[in-house]
Amino acid sequence: MNSIDRREFLGMAALAGIGFMTAGTTVEAKALDLTEKTVAELAASMKKGEMTSEAITNWYLARIKAIDPKINSMIEVNPDALAIARQSDRERRSKNFKGPLLGIPFVIKDNIDTADKMKTTAGSLALVDAPTPAKDAFIVKRLREAGAVLLGKTNLSEWANFRDNDSSSGWSGRGQQTRNPYILDRNPCGSSSGTGSAIAANLAAIGIGTETDGSIVCPASICGLVGLKPTVGLVSRSGIIPIAASQDTAGPMTRSVADAAVMLNVIDFIDPADSAMKGKREKVDYTNFLIADGLKGAKIGVARDFWGRNAVVDAVTNAALEAMKKAGAVLIDVKFPNLRKFGDAEFLVLQYEFKDGLEKYLRGRGSKYKTLDDLIKFNNDNAAREMQYFKQAIFESSAKKGPLTDKEYLDAVETCRKYSRDEGIDQVMNENKLDAIVGPSNAPTWMIDLVNGDCGSGYVGSSSLAAVAGYPNITVPAGFARELPIGISFFGRAFSEGTLIKIAYSFEQATKARRTPKFLPTAA
Protein backbone atom coordinates (compact mmCIF):
# COMPACT_ATOMS: atom_id res chain seq x y z
CA MET A 1 0.00 0.00 0.00
CA ASN A 2 1.60 3.27 -1.05
CA SER A 3 1.55 6.35 1.20
CA ILE A 4 -1.38 7.98 -0.62
CA ASP A 5 -3.46 4.80 -0.46
CA ARG A 6 -2.61 4.39 3.22
CA ARG A 7 -3.71 7.95 4.04
CA GLU A 8 -6.99 7.35 2.20
CA PHE A 9 -7.46 4.05 4.06
CA LEU A 10 -6.77 5.69 7.42
CA GLY A 11 -9.24 8.44 6.62
CA MET A 12 -11.98 5.95 5.69
CA ALA A 13 -11.22 3.88 8.77
CA ALA A 14 -11.48 6.90 11.02
CA LEU A 15 -14.79 7.79 9.37
CA ALA A 16 -16.03 4.33 10.32
CA GLY A 17 -15.03 4.92 13.94
CA ILE A 18 -11.73 3.01 13.93
CA GLY A 19 -8.61 4.18 15.71
CA PHE A 20 -5.09 2.94 14.99
CA MET A 21 -2.40 2.21 17.55
CA THR A 22 0.79 2.80 15.62
CA ALA A 23 3.44 2.19 18.29
CA GLY A 24 6.05 -0.26 17.01
CA THR A 25 4.75 -2.47 14.21
CA THR A 26 1.39 -3.34 15.77
CA VAL A 27 -1.75 -1.88 14.27
CA GLU A 28 -4.56 -2.38 16.75
CA ALA A 29 -8.10 -1.28 15.88
CA LYS A 30 -10.68 -0.17 18.40
CA ALA A 31 -13.84 1.88 18.40
CA LEU A 32 -13.03 5.57 18.64
CA ASP A 33 -15.45 8.35 19.50
CA LEU A 34 -13.90 11.67 20.45
CA THR A 35 -17.12 13.65 20.60
CA GLU A 36 -16.94 16.22 23.43
CA LYS A 37 -13.57 14.90 24.62
CA THR A 38 -11.55 17.40 26.64
CA VAL A 39 -7.84 18.13 26.44
CA ALA A 40 -7.33 16.29 29.73
CA GLU A 41 -9.18 13.21 28.49
CA LEU A 42 -7.29 13.10 25.19
CA ALA A 43 -3.94 13.63 26.93
CA ALA A 44 -4.69 10.87 29.47
CA SER A 45 -5.62 8.43 26.71
CA MET A 46 -2.40 9.14 24.83
CA LYS A 47 -0.33 8.87 28.00
CA LYS A 48 -1.86 5.47 28.76
CA GLY A 49 -1.20 4.30 25.21
CA GLU A 50 -4.90 3.88 24.47
CA MET A 51 -4.66 6.06 21.36
CA THR A 52 -2.16 8.11 19.44
CA SER A 53 -2.16 11.68 18.21
CA GLU A 54 -2.17 10.27 14.69
CA ALA A 55 -5.40 8.38 15.40
CA ILE A 56 -6.95 11.43 17.07
CA THR A 57 -5.94 13.70 14.20
CA ASN A 58 -7.28 11.19 11.68
CA TRP A 59 -10.60 11.13 13.52
CA TYR A 60 -10.96 14.91 13.35
CA LEU A 61 -9.84 15.05 9.70
CA ALA A 62 -12.40 12.40 8.76
CA ARG A 63 -15.08 14.26 10.69
CA ILE A 64 -14.21 17.48 8.86
CA LYS A 65 -14.55 15.62 5.56
CA ALA A 66 -17.89 14.11 6.54
CA ILE A 67 -19.55 17.01 8.34
CA ASP A 68 -17.97 20.31 7.37
CA PRO A 69 -19.54 20.47 3.90
CA LYS A 70 -22.79 21.14 5.77
CA ILE A 71 -21.26 23.83 8.03
CA ASN A 72 -18.44 25.32 5.94
CA SER A 73 -16.38 26.24 9.00
CA MET A 74 -12.93 25.27 7.69
CA ILE A 75 -11.31 27.53 5.12
CA GLU A 76 -8.27 25.24 4.80
CA VAL A 77 -6.98 21.97 6.26
CA ASN A 78 -3.29 21.75 7.12
CA PRO A 79 -1.63 19.29 4.69
CA ASP A 80 1.04 18.65 7.34
CA ALA A 81 -1.38 17.83 10.18
CA LEU A 82 -0.78 14.07 10.14
CA ALA A 83 3.00 14.49 9.90
CA ILE A 84 2.91 16.81 12.93
CA ALA A 85 0.75 14.29 14.80
CA ARG A 86 3.18 11.46 14.04
CA GLN A 87 6.07 13.60 15.25
CA SER A 88 4.21 14.28 18.50
CA ASP A 89 3.74 10.53 18.94
CA ARG A 90 7.48 10.00 18.49
CA GLU A 91 8.19 12.70 21.05
CA ARG A 92 5.78 11.12 23.52
CA ARG A 93 7.45 7.74 23.11
CA SER A 94 10.88 9.32 23.61
CA LYS A 95 9.64 10.86 26.88
CA ASN A 96 11.72 13.93 26.13
CA PHE A 97 8.75 16.23 25.68
CA LYS A 98 6.12 17.17 28.22
CA GLY A 99 4.21 19.94 26.45
CA PRO A 100 0.78 20.56 27.99
CA LEU A 101 -0.90 20.20 24.57
CA LEU A 102 1.27 17.42 23.13
CA GLY A 103 -0.65 15.75 20.30
CA ILE A 104 -3.83 17.83 20.75
CA PRO A 105 -5.35 19.05 17.44
CA PHE A 106 -6.40 22.70 17.28
CA VAL A 107 -7.72 25.18 14.71
CA ILE A 108 -7.13 28.90 14.30
CA LYS A 109 -8.93 31.73 12.55
CA ASP A 110 -7.66 32.70 9.11
CA ASN A 111 -6.44 36.11 10.21
CA ILE A 112 -3.57 34.54 12.17
CA ASP A 113 -0.20 34.13 10.44
CA THR A 114 1.34 30.73 9.87
CA ALA A 115 4.67 30.19 8.13
CA ASP A 116 3.65 26.90 6.54
CA LYS A 117 1.79 25.54 3.51
CA MET A 118 -1.45 27.28 4.44
CA LYS A 119 -2.53 30.78 3.47
CA THR A 120 -3.34 33.72 5.75
CA THR A 121 -5.99 35.88 4.09
CA ALA A 122 -8.56 37.25 6.59
CA GLY A 123 -11.00 35.60 4.18
CA SER A 124 -10.18 38.05 1.39
CA LEU A 125 -9.25 37.05 -2.13
CA ALA A 126 -6.85 40.01 -2.11
CA LEU A 127 -4.38 38.10 0.08
CA VAL A 128 -4.64 34.68 -1.58
CA ASP A 129 -1.44 35.31 -3.57
CA ALA A 130 0.34 37.33 -0.87
CA PRO A 131 3.73 36.03 0.30
CA THR A 132 3.61 33.42 3.03
CA PRO A 133 4.20 35.11 6.39
CA ALA A 134 7.87 35.05 7.34
CA LYS A 135 7.06 33.47 10.70
CA ASP A 136 4.21 32.12 12.75
CA ALA A 137 2.12 34.50 14.79
CA PHE A 138 3.48 34.55 18.34
CA ILE A 139 0.51 32.61 19.74
CA VAL A 140 0.84 29.94 17.02
CA LYS A 141 4.51 29.57 17.94
CA ARG A 142 3.49 29.13 21.59
CA LEU A 143 0.89 26.48 20.73
CA ARG A 144 3.32 24.57 18.54
CA GLU A 145 5.95 24.70 21.28
CA ALA A 146 3.35 23.25 23.65
CA GLY A 147 3.04 20.27 21.30
CA ALA A 148 -0.35 21.06 19.75
CA VAL A 149 -1.18 19.84 16.23
CA LEU A 150 -2.38 22.60 13.90
CA LEU A 151 -5.29 20.96 12.09
CA GLY A 152 -6.25 23.87 9.89
CA LYS A 153 -7.66 27.36 9.59
CA THR A 154 -11.25 28.43 10.04
CA ASN A 155 -13.44 30.71 7.97
CA LEU A 156 -14.37 34.13 9.34
CA SER A 157 -16.32 37.24 8.54
CA GLU A 158 -14.05 38.80 5.92
CA TRP A 159 -11.56 41.29 7.39
CA ALA A 160 -12.97 40.33 10.79
CA ASN A 161 -16.33 41.87 9.87
CA PHE A 162 -14.94 45.37 9.36
CA ARG A 163 -15.65 45.92 5.67
CA ASP A 164 -19.31 46.96 5.44
CA ASN A 165 -22.30 47.73 7.65
CA ASP A 166 -24.58 45.29 5.77
CA SER A 167 -22.35 42.22 5.92
CA SER A 168 -23.45 38.70 6.72
CA SER A 169 -21.41 37.43 9.66
CA GLY A 170 -19.48 34.32 8.73
CA TRP A 171 -19.18 35.22 5.03
CA SER A 172 -15.88 35.78 3.26
CA GLY A 173 -14.96 36.04 -0.38
CA ARG A 174 -12.53 33.17 0.00
CA GLY A 175 -14.51 30.91 2.30
CA GLN A 176 -18.16 31.86 1.53
CA GLN A 177 -20.83 31.44 4.24
CA THR A 178 -20.26 29.52 7.47
CA ARG A 179 -23.39 28.04 9.06
CA ASN A 180 -24.48 27.47 12.62
CA PRO A 181 -24.15 23.77 13.48
CA TYR A 182 -27.27 23.82 15.68
CA ILE A 183 -29.65 24.96 12.93
CA LEU A 184 -28.01 25.20 9.55
CA ASP A 185 -29.98 28.14 8.19
CA ARG A 186 -28.94 30.26 11.20
CA ASN A 187 -25.93 32.54 11.48
CA PRO A 188 -22.88 31.51 13.57
CA CYS A 189 -22.09 35.17 14.42
CA GLY A 190 -18.84 36.90 13.63
CA SER A 191 -16.14 37.30 13.12
CA SER A 192 -14.66 34.11 14.65
CA SER A 193 -17.60 32.25 13.14
CA GLY A 194 -15.61 29.39 11.67
CA THR A 195 -13.84 28.60 14.93
CA GLY A 196 -17.16 28.71 16.79
CA SER A 197 -18.91 26.36 14.38
CA ALA A 198 -15.93 24.00 14.09
CA ILE A 199 -15.43 23.53 17.82
CA ALA A 200 -19.17 23.24 18.47
CA ALA A 201 -19.33 20.49 15.83
CA ASN A 202 -16.33 18.66 17.34
CA LEU A 203 -14.14 19.19 14.28
CA ALA A 204 -11.11 19.87 16.52
CA ALA A 205 -10.31 19.59 20.19
CA ILE A 206 -9.78 23.32 20.79
CA GLY A 207 -9.67 26.57 18.82
CA ILE A 208 -8.51 30.16 18.73
CA GLY A 209 -10.58 33.18 17.78
CA THR A 210 -9.89 36.89 17.82
CA GLU A 211 -12.02 39.73 19.12
CA THR A 212 -12.29 43.47 18.78
CA ASP A 213 -15.84 43.67 20.13
CA GLY A 214 -17.83 40.46 20.47
CA SER A 215 -16.00 38.34 17.92
CA ILE A 216 -15.03 35.66 20.43
CA VAL A 217 -17.96 36.07 22.81
CA CYS A 218 -20.71 36.15 20.18
CA PRO A 219 -19.78 33.09 18.06
CA ALA A 220 -18.82 31.15 21.17
CA SER A 221 -22.13 31.79 22.92
CA ILE A 222 -24.23 31.37 19.77
CA CYS A 223 -22.49 28.04 19.10
CA GLY A 224 -22.82 26.75 22.67
CA LEU A 225 -19.15 27.18 23.64
CA VAL A 226 -16.90 28.72 26.23
CA GLY A 227 -15.18 31.77 24.77
CA LEU A 228 -12.52 33.68 26.68
CA LYS A 229 -11.60 37.19 25.55
CA PRO A 230 -8.50 38.11 27.59
CA THR A 231 -7.43 41.53 28.80
CA VAL A 232 -5.75 43.47 26.00
CA GLY A 233 -2.05 42.98 26.73
CA LEU A 234 -2.33 39.48 28.19
CA VAL A 235 -2.00 37.66 24.85
CA SER A 236 0.23 38.65 21.95
CA ARG A 237 -1.27 40.13 18.78
CA SER A 238 1.96 39.84 16.73
CA GLY A 239 1.21 38.19 13.40
CA ILE A 240 -2.56 38.73 13.61
CA ILE A 241 -4.26 40.86 10.95
CA PRO A 242 -5.54 43.79 12.99
CA ILE A 243 -8.60 45.95 13.41
CA ALA A 244 -7.79 48.07 16.46
CA ALA A 245 -4.73 47.98 18.70
CA SER A 246 -6.69 49.29 21.67
CA GLN A 247 -9.22 46.44 21.60
CA ASP A 248 -7.83 43.50 19.58
CA THR A 249 -6.94 40.25 21.29
CA ALA A 250 -6.91 36.53 20.58
CA GLY A 251 -8.39 33.97 22.92
CA PRO A 252 -9.56 30.36 23.42
CA MET A 253 -12.82 28.99 22.05
CA THR A 254 -13.48 25.60 23.62
CA ARG A 255 -16.19 23.23 24.79
CA SER A 256 -15.21 23.57 28.45
CA VAL A 257 -13.80 26.12 30.85
CA ALA A 258 -10.99 23.72 31.75
CA ASP A 259 -9.81 23.58 28.15
CA ALA A 260 -9.90 27.38 27.93
CA ALA A 261 -7.74 27.60 31.07
CA VAL A 262 -5.18 25.15 29.64
CA MET A 263 -4.99 27.11 26.39
CA LEU A 264 -4.65 30.42 28.21
CA ASN A 265 -1.73 29.01 30.19
CA VAL A 266 0.07 28.43 26.89
CA ILE A 267 -0.69 31.71 25.09
CA ASP A 268 -0.29 34.02 28.12
CA PHE A 269 3.38 34.75 27.52
CA ILE A 270 5.24 38.03 27.12
CA ASP A 271 5.90 39.02 23.50
CA PRO A 272 8.39 41.93 23.34
CA ALA A 273 7.09 42.80 19.87
CA ASP A 274 3.62 43.67 21.19
CA SER A 275 3.65 47.13 22.77
CA ALA A 276 0.56 46.33 24.84
CA MET A 277 2.58 43.69 26.73
CA LYS A 278 5.26 46.00 28.11
CA GLY A 279 6.15 45.35 31.72
CA LYS A 280 6.44 42.09 33.59
CA ARG A 281 3.56 40.26 35.20
CA GLU A 282 3.58 37.36 37.57
CA LYS A 283 2.93 34.13 35.67
CA VAL A 284 -0.46 32.62 36.52
CA ASP A 285 -1.51 28.98 36.30
CA TYR A 286 -5.14 29.34 35.30
CA THR A 287 -5.90 25.68 36.00
CA ASN A 288 -5.54 26.51 39.71
CA PHE A 289 -8.82 28.43 39.35
CA LEU A 290 -10.82 25.39 38.23
CA ILE A 291 -12.65 25.22 41.56
CA ALA A 292 -16.05 23.55 41.61
CA ASP A 293 -17.38 25.71 44.46
CA GLY A 294 -15.85 28.90 43.08
CA LEU A 295 -19.22 30.67 43.19
CA LYS A 296 -19.46 30.31 46.95
CA GLY A 297 -19.15 33.79 48.44
CA ALA A 298 -18.45 35.40 45.05
CA LYS A 299 -19.93 38.88 44.83
CA ILE A 300 -21.33 39.37 41.33
CA GLY A 301 -22.97 42.45 39.85
CA VAL A 302 -26.01 41.73 37.67
CA ALA A 303 -25.89 44.24 34.79
CA ARG A 304 -29.63 44.94 34.66
CA ASP A 305 -29.20 47.21 31.62
CA PHE A 306 -29.19 44.02 29.53
CA TRP A 307 -32.37 42.50 30.99
CA GLY A 308 -35.88 43.25 29.74
CA ARG A 309 -34.94 43.26 26.06
CA ASN A 310 -35.83 39.70 25.10
CA ALA A 311 -38.19 37.43 27.07
CA VAL A 312 -36.47 34.22 26.00
CA VAL A 313 -33.06 35.53 27.03
CA ASP A 314 -34.48 36.78 30.33
CA ALA A 315 -35.90 33.33 31.10
CA VAL A 316 -32.59 31.56 30.46
CA THR A 317 -30.44 34.12 32.26
CA ASN A 318 -32.81 34.39 35.25
CA ALA A 319 -32.53 30.63 35.66
CA ALA A 320 -28.75 31.04 35.48
CA LEU A 321 -28.88 33.65 38.25
CA GLU A 322 -30.86 31.25 40.43
CA ALA A 323 -28.21 28.57 39.84
CA MET A 324 -25.52 31.04 40.92
CA LYS A 325 -27.37 31.92 44.10
CA LYS A 326 -27.91 28.24 44.86
CA ALA A 327 -24.15 27.74 44.48
CA GLY A 328 -23.50 30.44 47.06
CA ALA A 329 -22.96 33.59 44.99
CA VAL A 330 -24.05 36.98 46.26
CA LEU A 331 -25.85 38.87 43.48
CA ILE A 332 -26.22 42.65 43.42
CA ASP A 333 -28.16 44.52 40.75
CA VAL A 334 -26.03 47.20 39.07
CA LYS A 335 -26.61 49.75 36.32
CA PHE A 336 -24.34 51.44 33.79
CA PRO A 337 -25.78 54.91 33.10
CA ASN A 338 -23.03 55.67 30.57
CA LEU A 339 -23.58 52.53 28.51
CA ARG A 340 -24.70 54.40 25.39
CA LYS A 341 -22.17 57.22 25.58
CA PHE A 342 -19.19 55.54 23.90
CA GLY A 343 -20.63 53.73 20.85
CA ASP A 344 -19.87 56.46 18.30
CA ALA A 345 -16.46 57.07 19.85
CA GLU A 346 -15.64 53.37 19.68
CA PHE A 347 -16.41 53.25 15.95
CA LEU A 348 -14.18 56.26 15.35
CA VAL A 349 -11.33 54.64 17.26
CA LEU A 350 -11.73 51.43 15.26
CA GLN A 351 -11.69 53.28 11.95
CA TYR A 352 -8.51 55.20 12.75
CA GLU A 353 -6.69 52.21 14.22
CA PHE A 354 -7.85 49.88 11.45
CA LYS A 355 -6.32 52.04 8.75
CA ASP A 356 -3.10 52.50 10.72
CA GLY A 357 -2.69 48.88 11.81
CA LEU A 358 -3.79 47.17 8.61
CA GLU A 359 -1.54 49.25 6.38
CA LYS A 360 1.43 48.46 8.64
CA TYR A 361 0.55 44.76 8.44
CA LEU A 362 0.22 44.81 4.64
CA ARG A 363 3.60 46.50 4.23
CA GLY A 364 5.25 44.04 6.61
CA ARG A 365 3.63 41.09 4.86
CA GLY A 366 4.94 42.18 1.48
CA SER A 367 1.49 42.20 -0.09
CA LYS A 368 1.17 43.99 -3.43
CA TYR A 369 -1.75 45.82 -1.82
CA LYS A 370 -0.20 48.31 0.62
CA THR A 371 -3.10 50.53 1.63
CA LEU A 372 -6.82 50.49 2.31
CA ASP A 373 -7.28 52.35 -0.97
CA ASP A 374 -5.51 49.47 -2.74
CA LEU A 375 -7.91 46.97 -1.15
CA ILE A 376 -10.91 49.12 -2.04
CA LYS A 377 -9.76 49.13 -5.67
CA PHE A 378 -9.23 45.35 -5.57
CA ASN A 379 -12.78 44.84 -4.33
CA ASN A 380 -14.17 47.14 -7.01
CA ASP A 381 -12.18 45.33 -9.69
CA ASN A 382 -13.36 41.96 -8.35
CA ALA A 383 -16.88 42.97 -7.35
CA ALA A 384 -18.48 39.85 -8.83
CA ARG A 385 -16.58 37.69 -6.36
CA GLU A 386 -16.09 40.05 -3.42
CA MET A 387 -19.13 42.33 -3.39
CA GLN A 388 -22.04 40.29 -4.72
CA TYR A 389 -23.78 40.47 -1.32
CA PHE A 390 -22.51 43.61 0.41
CA LYS A 391 -20.19 46.50 -0.29
CA GLN A 392 -17.31 48.18 1.61
CA ALA A 393 -18.64 51.28 3.33
CA ILE A 394 -16.45 50.77 6.43
CA PHE A 395 -13.36 50.37 4.25
CA GLU A 396 -14.19 53.60 2.43
CA SER A 397 -14.87 55.66 5.56
CA SER A 398 -11.79 54.28 7.34
CA ALA A 399 -9.56 55.08 4.36
CA LYS A 400 -10.40 58.77 4.82
CA LYS A 401 -9.16 58.89 8.41
CA GLY A 402 -5.91 60.62 9.25
CA PRO A 403 -3.03 59.70 11.57
CA LEU A 404 -3.38 58.68 15.21
CA THR A 405 -2.34 62.18 16.22
CA ASP A 406 -5.66 63.66 15.03
CA LYS A 407 -7.66 65.38 17.76
CA GLU A 408 -10.82 63.56 16.67
CA TYR A 409 -9.11 60.22 17.36
CA LEU A 410 -7.53 61.27 20.66
CA ASP A 411 -10.84 62.64 21.95
CA ALA A 412 -12.60 59.41 20.96
CA VAL A 413 -10.02 57.32 22.81
CA GLU A 414 -10.54 59.41 25.94
CA THR A 415 -14.32 59.08 25.69
CA CYS A 416 -14.04 55.30 25.39
CA ARG A 417 -11.76 55.00 28.39
CA LYS A 418 -13.85 57.33 30.54
CA TYR A 419 -17.20 55.63 30.02
CA SER A 420 -16.12 52.00 29.71
CA ARG A 421 -13.41 51.97 32.41
CA ASP A 422 -13.30 54.96 34.81
CA GLU A 423 -17.03 55.62 34.98
CA GLY A 424 -17.96 52.16 33.80
CA ILE A 425 -16.61 48.80 34.92
CA ASP A 426 -14.07 50.13 37.42
CA GLN A 427 -16.54 52.48 39.11
CA VAL A 428 -19.33 49.91 39.41
CA MET A 429 -16.99 47.19 40.69
CA ASN A 430 -15.28 49.46 43.20
CA GLU A 431 -18.51 50.95 44.55
CA ASN A 432 -20.08 47.52 45.04
CA LYS A 433 -16.88 45.62 45.92
CA LEU A 434 -17.56 43.08 43.17
CA ASP A 435 -15.58 40.08 42.00
CA ALA A 436 -17.24 40.11 38.56
CA ILE A 437 -20.18 41.38 36.54
CA VAL A 438 -22.65 39.13 34.73
CA GLY A 439 -24.79 39.77 31.66
CA PRO A 440 -26.39 37.80 28.81
CA SER A 441 -24.00 36.88 25.99
CA ASN A 442 -26.52 36.57 23.17
CA ALA A 443 -30.08 36.20 22.01
CA PRO A 444 -31.17 33.35 19.71
CA THR A 445 -29.24 33.77 16.49
CA TRP A 446 -30.80 35.16 13.33
CA MET A 447 -31.41 33.58 9.94
CA ILE A 448 -28.60 33.80 7.40
CA ASP A 449 -29.60 36.58 5.01
CA LEU A 450 -27.26 37.35 2.12
CA VAL A 451 -29.73 39.89 0.74
CA ASN A 452 -30.16 42.16 3.78
CA GLY A 453 -27.16 41.15 5.89
CA ASP A 454 -27.21 40.57 9.64
CA CYS A 455 -30.51 41.25 11.37
CA GLY A 456 -30.12 42.66 14.88
CA SER A 457 -33.84 42.67 15.69
CA GLY A 458 -34.35 41.69 19.32
CA TYR A 459 -30.67 40.94 19.74
CA VAL A 460 -29.07 41.11 23.18
CA GLY A 461 -25.32 41.19 23.86
CA SER A 462 -23.12 42.56 26.61
CA SER A 463 -19.66 42.37 25.02
CA SER A 464 -19.04 46.06 24.34
CA LEU A 465 -18.29 47.25 27.89
CA ALA A 466 -15.40 44.83 28.37
CA ALA A 467 -14.30 45.10 24.74
CA VAL A 468 -13.99 48.89 24.73
CA ALA A 469 -12.34 48.85 28.15
CA GLY A 470 -9.90 46.17 26.99
CA TYR A 471 -10.96 44.04 29.96
CA PRO A 472 -11.52 40.26 30.15
CA ASN A 473 -14.80 38.52 29.37
CA ILE A 474 -15.75 34.84 29.43
CA THR A 475 -18.96 33.37 28.07
CA VAL A 476 -20.32 30.01 29.24
CA PRO A 477 -23.32 28.02 27.94
CA ALA A 478 -26.40 28.82 30.04
CA GLY A 479 -29.28 27.15 28.22
CA PHE A 480 -31.27 26.96 25.01
CA ALA A 481 -34.04 28.74 23.15
CA ARG A 482 -35.47 25.62 21.54
CA GLU A 483 -32.37 24.28 19.76
CA LEU A 484 -30.38 27.53 19.81
CA PRO A 485 -27.73 28.08 22.52
CA ILE A 486 -27.85 31.01 24.94
CA GLY A 487 -24.69 31.98 26.85
CA ILE A 488 -23.96 34.09 29.88
CA SER A 489 -20.93 36.37 30.26
CA PHE A 490 -18.75 37.15 33.26
CA PHE A 491 -16.48 40.18 32.91
CA GLY A 492 -14.43 42.34 35.24
CA ARG A 493 -11.27 44.32 35.92
CA ALA A 494 -8.10 44.16 33.87
CA PHE A 495 -6.13 40.92 34.32
CA SER A 496 -8.85 39.28 36.42
CA GLU A 497 -8.91 36.19 34.20
CA GLY A 498 -8.27 33.86 37.13
CA THR A 499 -11.28 35.12 39.08
CA LEU A 500 -13.49 34.94 36.01
CA ILE A 501 -12.35 31.39 35.25
CA LYS A 502 -13.13 30.35 38.83
CA ILE A 503 -16.65 31.78 38.63
CA ALA A 504 -17.28 30.47 35.11
CA TYR A 505 -16.03 26.97 35.95
CA SER A 506 -18.20 26.77 39.03
CA PHE A 507 -21.22 27.91 37.02
CA GLU A 508 -20.43 25.40 34.28
CA GLN A 509 -20.17 22.53 36.77
CA ALA A 510 -23.42 23.55 38.46
CA THR A 511 -25.41 23.79 35.23
CA LYS A 512 -23.70 21.64 32.55
CA ALA A 513 -25.74 23.43 29.90
CA ARG A 514 -23.62 22.58 26.85
CA ARG A 515 -24.92 19.91 24.49
CA THR A 516 -23.79 18.73 21.07
CA PRO A 517 -25.74 19.95 18.03
CA LYS A 518 -28.56 17.46 17.45
CA PHE A 519 -28.12 16.98 13.73
CA LEU A 520 -24.53 15.82 14.17
CA PRO A 521 -23.68 12.15 14.77
CA THR A 522 -21.97 11.23 18.05
CA ALA A 523 -19.01 9.82 16.12
CA ALA A 524 -17.48 10.65 12.77
Side-chain angles (χ1 to χ4, degrees):
M1 184 180 294
N2 64 38
S3 60
I4 295 175
D5 290 339
R6 176 171 171 76
R7 284 197 299 272
E8 186 67 18
F9 172 68
L10 287 171
M12 290 187 293
L15 187 58
I18 299 173
F20 289 85
M21 305 302 295
T22 55
T25 57
T26 303
V27 178
E28 178 185 342
K30 63 180 291 186
L32 189 64
D33 181 3
L34 306 184
T35 309
E36 300 296 305
K37 293 295 185 185
T38 65
V39 167
E41 289 169 336
L42 293 173
S45 292
M46 286 187 283
K47 185 176 181 180
K48 292 175 184 175
E50 296 172 347
M51 65 179 79
T52 62
S53 178
E54 182 179 358
I56 292 168
T57 302
N58 258 314
W59 189 89
Y60 285 121
L61 289 172
R63 190 169 175 87
I64 289 169
K65 185 176 181 181
I67 291 174
D68 198 51
K70 302 173 185 177
I71 306 169
N72 197 37
S73 66
M74 298 298 298
I75 205 167
E76 191 168 5
V77 171
N78 186 1
D80 294 327
L82 280 174
I84 297 169
R86 294 183 191 112
Q87 177 60 29
S88 74
D89 288 331
R90 289 191 289 271
E91 290 174 352
R92 187 177 296 278
R93 290 195 295 272
S94 74
K95 298 182 180 179
N96 290 327
F97 191 90
K98 296 181 174 62
L101 295 175
L102 182 61
I104 303 294
F106 74 104
V107 293
I108 60 171
K109 186 176 177 180
D110 180 41
N111 61 345
I112 303 174
D113 285 352
T114 55
D116 54 18
K117 296 173 185 174
M118 293 187 289
K119 299 180 184 296
T120 303
T121 67
S124 173
L125 297 172
L127 292 187
V128 167
D129 296 324
T132 299
K135 58 183 179 181
D136 286 340
F138 187 87
I139 59 169
V140 174
K141 177 175 178 285
R142 289 290 301 160
L143 288 160
R144 290 195 205 264
E145 288 172 347
V149 177
L150 180 51
L151 201 60
K153 291 192 173 183
T154 57
N155 196 23
L156 70 162
S157 307
E158 186 173 302
W159 297 111
N161 224 0
F162 207 69
R163 199 189 88 186
D164 191 71
N165 296 310
D166 297 323
S167 64
S168 173
S169 291
W171 186 92
S172 71
R174 182 181 172 214
Q176 300 298 297
Q177 181 66 52
T178 296
R179 298 180 175 275
N180 191 301
Y182 284 88
I183 300 181
L184 292 175
D185 62 4
R186 298 280 173 157
N187 197 283
C189 197
S191 65
S192 304
S193 46
T195 304
S197 291
I199 300 303
N202 281 266
L203 302 187
I206 48 180
I208 290 285
T210 66
E211 173 162 331
T212 305
D213 187 342
S215 286
I216 288 174
V217 171
C218 185
S221 59
I222 270 179
C223 293
L225 300 178
V226 173
L228 200 168
K229 183 203 85 75
T231 306
V232 173
L234 188 80
V235 172
S236 167
R237 288 89 53 82
S238 297
I240 300 177
I241 299 175
I243 290 181
S246 61
Q247 293 182 207
D248 287 352
T249 185
M253 298 175 70
T254 60
R255 292 183 293 271
S256 70
V257 177
D259 284 355
V262 171
M263 286 196 85
L264 192 58
N265 272 353
V266 171
I267 62 176
D268 172 10
F269 201 83
I270 295 292
D271 172 16
D274 188 337
S275 60
M277 304 190 82
K278 288 181 179 178
K280 292 184 178 180
R281 295 187 313 274
E282 183 179 350
K283 181 64 177 172
V284 176
D285 182 350
Y286 297 103
T287 62
N288 290 336
F289 293 91
L290 300 174
I291 302 167
D293 65 351
L295 278 166
K296 188 175 182 180
K299 203 170 180 182
I300 301 174
V302 181
R304 285 297 177 186
D305 302 89
F306 302 106
W307 267 260
R309 300 183 182 184
N310 184 300
V312 173
V313 174
D314 285 352
V316 173
T317 49
N318 285 338
L321 296 180
E322 290 301 315
M324 291 177 215
K325 287 194 284 188
K326 187 176 180 181
V330 178
L331 303 183
I332 301 170
D333 284 357
V334 297
K335 299 283 282 184
F336 289 91
N338 299 316
L339 192 59
R340 300 187 184 278
K341 291 184 179 179
F342 56 77
D344 291 343
E346 178 192 13
F347 188 57
L348 270 175
V349 170
L350 301 193
Q351 289 176 298
Y352 272 94
E353 293 185 358
F354 181 59
K355 180 183 180 182
D356 178 76
L358 181 60
E359 291 185 350
K360 286 177 181 174
Y361 174 87
L362 293 171
R363 291 193 297 271
R365 177 76 180 273
S367 169
K368 63 181 177 180
Y369 306 106
K370 309 293 185 188
T371 67
L372 258 181
D373 285 330
D374 292 342
L375 294 176
I376 289 167
K377 184 178 186 303
F378 173 88
N379 289 334
N380 286 329
D381 292 345
N382 294 273
R385 296 186 297 161
E386 278 287 2
M387 296 200 298
Q388 65 268 52
Y389 300 121
F390 54 91
K391 304 301 181 183
Q392 52 182 343
I394 297 176
F395 263 27
E396 290 167 350
S397 62
S398 298
K400 296 174 183 176
K401 296 302 178 187
L404 300 188
T405 54
D406 279 5
K407 185 177 186 301
E408 181 183 49
Y409 166 73
L410 297 173
D411 288 347
V413 169
E414 182 58 32
T415 297
C416 288
R417 287 176 178 167
K418 177 180 179 180
Y419 292 126
S420 67
R421 294 183 186 181
D422 302 343
E423 297 179 20
I425 292 173
D426 290 341
Q427 180 172 302
V428 167
M429 293 193 72
N430 291 338
E431 288 178 351
N432 295 280
K433 298 180 173 55
L434 301 176
D435 296 301
I437 300 165
V438 65
S441 302
N442 65 293
T445 187
W446 57 96
M447 300 280 286
I448 292 170
D449 187 347
L450 291 172
V451 176
N452 300 303
D454 291 339
C455 173
S457 177
Y459 193 74
V460 180
S462 58
S463 68
S464 288
L465 260 173
V468 175
Y471 288 179
N473 191 353
I474 185 168
T475 182
V476 186
F480 283 79
R482 298 185 182 178
E483 291 306 313
L484 293 172
I486 303 293
I488 199 158
S489 291
F490 301 98
F491 55 95
R493 299 178 181 86
F495 303 109
S496 63
E497 280 80 0
T499 297
L500 299 183
I501 286 170
K502 181 173 70 171
I503 290 169
Y505 180 76
S506 181
F507 175 78
E508 175 193 57
Q509 298 307 300
T511 57
K512 297 190 181 296
R514 162 144 177 99
R515 64 177 186 237
T516 310
K518 274 189 175 181
F519 96 89
L520 299 175
T522 56

